[in-house]
Every structure is written in C-alpha cells, then in structure tokens.
Amino acid sequence: ILVTEAVDAPHLHRFLNTWLSNPPRGDAVLSAPQQRMLAQDVLWQLGRTVQRLHDNNFAHRDLKATNLLVRWSTGEPPELVLVDLDGLSRKRLMTLRRRFQGLMRLNVSLLKCPVVNHAGRLRMLLGYLRRPGCGRINFKPYWRVLEQWSADKINRQIHSRRKRQKAVRRPGA
C-alpha cells in the first residue's frame, strides 16, 4: 500500500503560465524582477529535483511538466512535488543515456510552455549539472545533446501523429 499526501497545487505548466504571464493571472501581481526570480527559483529547483532523483538511481518514464506540481505562497520558496509515481522505477545503474532521456522528456514538455524561454530551460539544465563546490560547468556539450535529442523526440511525435491521422482517415484500409 502506498500512502501519499494530497497536494493542492497546480501542475508546473499552469503555475508558470499563471505567475509568469504578462500580466500575471495569480492572486497577487508580481513585478517583473519578482517574476524573473520566481522563474529562476522554480527552474533551478526543477533541475536539482531531477538530479537528486537520478543520483539516487531512480528513473521516471513519464517525466514531464504536467507530472510536477508547484506548491508556493508569496514570500516562501517554491516546492516541487513529483506525481504519477507509477512511472518511477529504481535502476541498478543510472546510465548517461537514461539520465538524458529524462532530461529530454522534461525539456520537450517545457517547450510547450510559452513563458519558459531558452534561458529558463538552460537554467533547468544547469540546476541539474551543478554540484556543490564544483565551480563552473562546461554545459555546452550537454546542451547540444539535449537540444538534438529534444528535436528528434519532437520529430518522432510529429511522425507518429501523422501516421495515426492517416490511419483514422482510412478505416477500411
């Protein structure tokens, strides 16, 4: 039996679209610097959350923005909560490929969120890559691979969607 806490919080997309839209649609209006700080905090924390998940040898086959909830109240740091835990599995070894698959799924889902820009997705990656006391990180090779894998994933999704649409149009074939 798995007992979990009921979390009354919006998923990541809704949270970001509510608080980072211009003008904000949240309960209280945030200034542009407050919006920027909130976005930085959430996206950095997103990278750190995925890093801790992977460092503890857990993979999530459905890692995307709609499976992350953000609990936040003004004046407090945002808290990310991972949901849809049936996609979570413990691995004996977290290979670099498996790590990038999780990051790629998350990156692709963030591409669908209009308020998260290139810099925001990069902040998520830096949050993932940075370790305490490690100094500067040469993130560019990781970024290039992540961008390429994300583009390939999107192309596969488009191809799959077109195939399904053709099959629906020709039911008797």
Side-chain angles (χ1 to χ4, degrees):
I1 296 175
L2 177 65
V3 178
T4 60
E5 172 187 2
V7 180
D8 185 27
H11 64 75
L12 183 61
H13 272 193
R14 183 173 295 139
F15 177 84
L16 293 172
N17 285 328
T18 298
W19 289 100
L20 303 182
S21 64
N22 197 2
R25 294 178 289 218
D27 299 334
V29 177
L30 298 177
S31 66
Q34 288 172 318
Q35 282 184 322
R36 191 169 34 261
M37 286 299 296
L38 181 60
Q40 290 173 353
D41 285 349
V42 168
L43 293 167
W44 181 267
Q45 200 177 105
L46 178 58
R48 301 291 295 169
T49 300
V50 176
Q51 176 199 67
R52 282 193 305 274
L53 190 73
H54 289 168
D55 286 352
N56 287 297
N57 293 332
F58 283 98
H60 196 293
R61 74 173 185 272
D62 201 16
L63 194 56
K64 57 186 177 183
T66 54
N67 286 336
L68 288 150
L69 304 179
V70 182
R71 191 175 5 204
W72 180 70
S73 57
T74 310
E76 297 291 322
E79 180 185 4
L80 290 170
V81 179
L82 182 64
V83 296
D84 193 12
L85 298 179
D86 64 327
L88 193 65
S89 61
R90 186 160 176 95
K91 302 297 181 184
R92 215 180 52 190
L93 177 66
M94 275 301 289
T95 62
L96 192 57
R97 178 178 179 76
R98 192 169 278 142
R99 288 174 181 265
F100 263 96
Q101 284 175 331
L103 287 170
M104 176 265 306
R105 286 183 193 111
L106 195 52
N107 188 53
V108 168
S109 75
L110 288 175
L111 285 169
K112 297 173 186 173
C113 187
V115 297
V116 178
N117 59 15
H118 178 85
R121 291 181 296 110
L122 180 57
R123 180 165 300 280
M124 184 266 307
L125 178 63
L126 288 172
Y128 181 84
L129 293 174
R130 287 231 169 103
R131 303 281 195 260
C134 72
R136 289 185 60 100
I137 295 279
N138 181 13
F139 66 88
K140 289 181 182 177
Y142 297 98
W143 181 250
R144 286 185 194 110
V145 171
L146 185 59
E147 288 288 288
Q148 182 61 53
W149 280 32
S150 297
D152 292 346
K153 171 84 170 168
I154 291 169
N155 286 335
R156 284 192 307 272
Q157 287 175 342
I158 291 169
H159 180 71
S160 175
R161 196 171 298 131
R162 285 181 182 157
K163 241 176 149 174
R164 275 182 285 168
Q165 287 173 347
K166 284 181 182 177
V168 168
R169 279 188 236 141
R170 292 183 286 143

